[in-house]
Amino acid sequence: MTTATAVSTAPAAPLRRSTRAGAAHNKRVLTPASARYPQSRLLHIVAPSLKVADAAAASVFSAARLRGPIARDAIAQHTQLSIATVNRQVTALLEAGILRERADLAVSGAIGRPRVPVEVNHEPFLTLGIHIGARTTSIVATDLFGRTLDVVETPTPSGAQAAALATLASSARRYLSRWHRRRPLWVGVASGGVVDSTTGYLDHPRLGWHDAPVGPVLAEALGLPVSLASHVDAMAGAELLLAGARRGRDEQSGQGADAGAARTSLYVYARETVGYALSIDGRVHSPASGPGTIAALPAQSELLGGTGQLESTVSDEAVLTAARKLRIVPADGPASTLPAVLRAARTGNAQAAELLADRARVLGEAVALLRDMLNPDDLIVGGQAFTEYPEGMSAVESAFASRSVLAARDIRVTAFGNRVQEAGAGIVSLGGLYADPIGAMRRAQTRRSAAV
């Protein structure tokens, strides 16, 4: 698929395929996605681009983002593009406003603009990322390097679906109104549940959302293009395009922008929910039918209880429930929280430490099972079940090593720590720009002009 496809217009009046609980014989019901929103709104829902792009403009922009300030001849060497192609793309990116020249850094005695370094013109712009969690929603402003500028957290809106979406859109609109000196370009949403990235609709059983028009509501409220992705796919995308790209810059010398991309990576997530994602040859694998699930993998723990399945055994709620039964924390009240369990373990409560160690054991065994099935080149874990209690990683690694039947493999903890949800939402908002920077800037400008 070409880069341009990643930001192409959604097809006219797409049909939503949905399965409704209680429908006779589980028949699939077709309802028009535009039943509430006009086609003009659906045109601004853009499938996320969670991949290492290889189009010329994307490669040049990537070189400037990862290595700038950088001269055109150095870009040509890094990307393996001809100097003529690099000059054309740099000119177009300068005209689009997302690169700028640094004449002050030109080599002394050099003649001509091709010797003038260029860099990302990041100060005028931001993108907006929204991570919709089962309990908490994060709204994050991200610059063109993928760096978090600011983030706010609010309780995920509850109640009727339409009212919850209106509250979410209102919160995002108020947040954007604070940014007077930066122009917003794109909105990226990462969420659990099943995402229809073509229409921007979401099924999220834990929130009670069915055929929720998250994308159209946000596009209408914010006047910006919107992309939606599964939250675990989004986190894997952040590892690939942000953390992975920086590692490639540091570890690879004199190779193309996609150096190291021809690998497979397994990303395993655990917090209140569990999930996994695969990156294959520089692209997050996102099945059209939605992500697979590891929630029902077999898992056993006498301390944690659960139903014999992974998610009900290792989730935050499972740990907290077990801690209450063991009287590590009170049955209710402000002290009955997971952070209180973590503090108890760190201050010498043997039961709390044993409980968290058993969670780490179960997670390590589950990661080993996935690794043995898929045998990726790289193995990454993320989510607060891993990062909020780093003392447990030794138990994760020990259980992994004991259970896996393949050769030893290192486990890498996410580069984003407890901020991985923000990074995931941020990369969904940046993916279209990274894949097709000139087209994305044109689309953002068109959308903004139409909304004014």
Side-chain angles (χ1 to χ4, degrees):
M1 183 174 70
T2 64
T3 302
T5 303
V7 291
S8 62
T9 299
L15 295 178
R16 282 286 296 157
R17 295 182 176 270
S18 60
T19 54
R20 301 183 183 277
H25 306 295
N26 292 320
K27 289 182 178 179
R28 299 179 72 81
V29 181
L30 295 179
T31 57
S34 54
R36 178 178 175 190
Y37 290 91
Q39 182 63 20
S40 60
R41 301 302 181 199
L42 295 177
L43 290 175
H44 301 290
I45 307 304
V46 184
S49 182
L50 302 176
K51 66 176 183 177
V52 177
D54 56 4
S59 296
V60 170
F61 185 71
S62 177
R65 178 171 63 90
L66 298 173
R67 296 171 178 264
I70 184 171
R72 291 163 175 79
D73 57 351
I75 295 175
Q77 180 181 8
H78 175 61
T79 60
Q80 304 298 303
L81 296 171
S82 70
I83 190 65
T85 298
V86 169
N87 283 333
R88 285 195 300 272
Q89 299 305 325
V90 167
T91 298
L93 291 165
L94 289 169
E95 291 174 352
I98 52 175
L99 288 188
R100 63 188 175 194
E101 293 185 318
R102 291 294 305 274
D104 56 311
L105 299 179
V107 177
S108 178
I111 299 175
R113 293 182 66 188
R115 295 290 183 178
V116 177
V118 294
E119 66 180 7
V120 174
N121 185 27
H122 61 95
E123 286 95 343
F125 307 109
L126 65 82
T127 62
L128 186 73
I130 302 173
H131 177 264
I132 304 172
R135 297 175 181 270
T136 302
T137 290
S138 299
I139 303 176
V140 55
T142 304
D143 73 5
L144 300 190
F145 290 105
R147 300 177 301 200
T148 296
L149 300 171
D150 180 69
V151 63
V152 295
E153 291 188 349
T154 63
T156 298
S158 58
Q161 176 175 296
L165 292 181
T167 299
L168 179 67
S170 178
S171 296
R173 186 170 54 244
R174 285 196 305 272
Y175 182 77
L176 270 185
S177 70
R178 296 164 42 186
W179 296 91
H180 303 296
R181 298 184 179 180
R182 289 183 183 256
R183 172 186 155 198
L185 299 176
W186 210 277
V187 180
V189 181
S191 177
V194 179
V195 172
D196 185 333
S197 60
T198 301
T199 63
Y201 278 61
L202 170 67
D203 288 340
H204 199 310
R206 295 193 65 165
L207 296 178
W209 294 2
H210 180 72
D211 278 353
V214 176
V217 167
L218 289 171
E220 183 176 56
L222 304 179
L224 293 168
V226 179
S227 297
L228 270 73
S230 157
H231 68 155
V232 183
D233 284 357
M235 295 172 207
E239 294 291 335
L240 176 68
L241 296 173
L242 298 177
R246 289 168 188 148
R247 280 193 301 274
R249 173 194 60 189
D250 296 336
E251 297 169 3
Q252 305 290 335
S253 176
Q255 298 184 37
D258 60 348
R263 298 174 64 84
T264 57
S265 296
L266 170 63
Y267 182 87
V268 181
Y269 171 82
R271 190 184 190 183
E272 194 59 59
T273 61
V274 295
Y276 79 101
L278 275 173
S279 296
I280 304 171
D281 292 346
R283 179 193 295 268
V284 177
H285 177 60
S286 301
S289 58
T293 179
I294 59 174
L297 285 182
Q300 295 294 333
S301 169
E302 292 184 7
L303 282 174
L304 290 163
T307 63
Q309 298 180 342
L310 182 62
E311 187 168 283
S312 66
T313 304
V314 301
S315 70
D316 282 0
E317 186 60 34
V319 174
L320 185 55
T321 298
R324 288 166 176 163
K325 288 180 179 178
L326 293 170
R327 299 185 180 179
I328 296 170
V329 295
D332 52 31
S336 185
T337 64
L338 187 60
V341 179
L342 302 180
R343 286 194 298 271
R346 291 179 175 129
T347 55
N349 186 308
Q351 280 188 310
E354 185 180 5
L355 184 67
L356 294 173
D358 210 42
R359 181 198 213 185
R361 173 191 63 79
V362 174
L363 285 169
E365 292 176 352
V367 172
L369 177 61
L370 287 168
R371 182 270 171 121
D372 287 359
M373 287 192 300
L374 302 169
N375 196 21
D377 298 306
D378 299 303
L379 182 56
I380 308 163
V381 297
Q384 280 74 358
F386 296 104
T387 59
E388 209 160 40
Y389 189 67
E391 298 92 330
M393 274 308 299
S394 60
V396 171
E397 291 166 347
S398 177
F400 170 81
S402 297
R403 178 56 62 90
S404 177
V405 300
L406 298 181
R409 177 65 50 84
D410 290 336
I411 299 176
R412 186 168 71 240
V413 179
T414 175
F416 302 102
N418 285 341
R419 299 295 187 183
V420 68
Q421 289 88 356
E422 299 165 18
I427 199 59
V428 177
S429 71
L430 286 165
L433 184 76
Y434 287 1
D436 181 10
I438 296 170
M441 291 296 289
R442 187 181 302 119
R443 178 185 284 274
Q445 180 61 45
T446 300
R447 182 71 187 98
R448 187 166 179 259
S449 299
V452 172

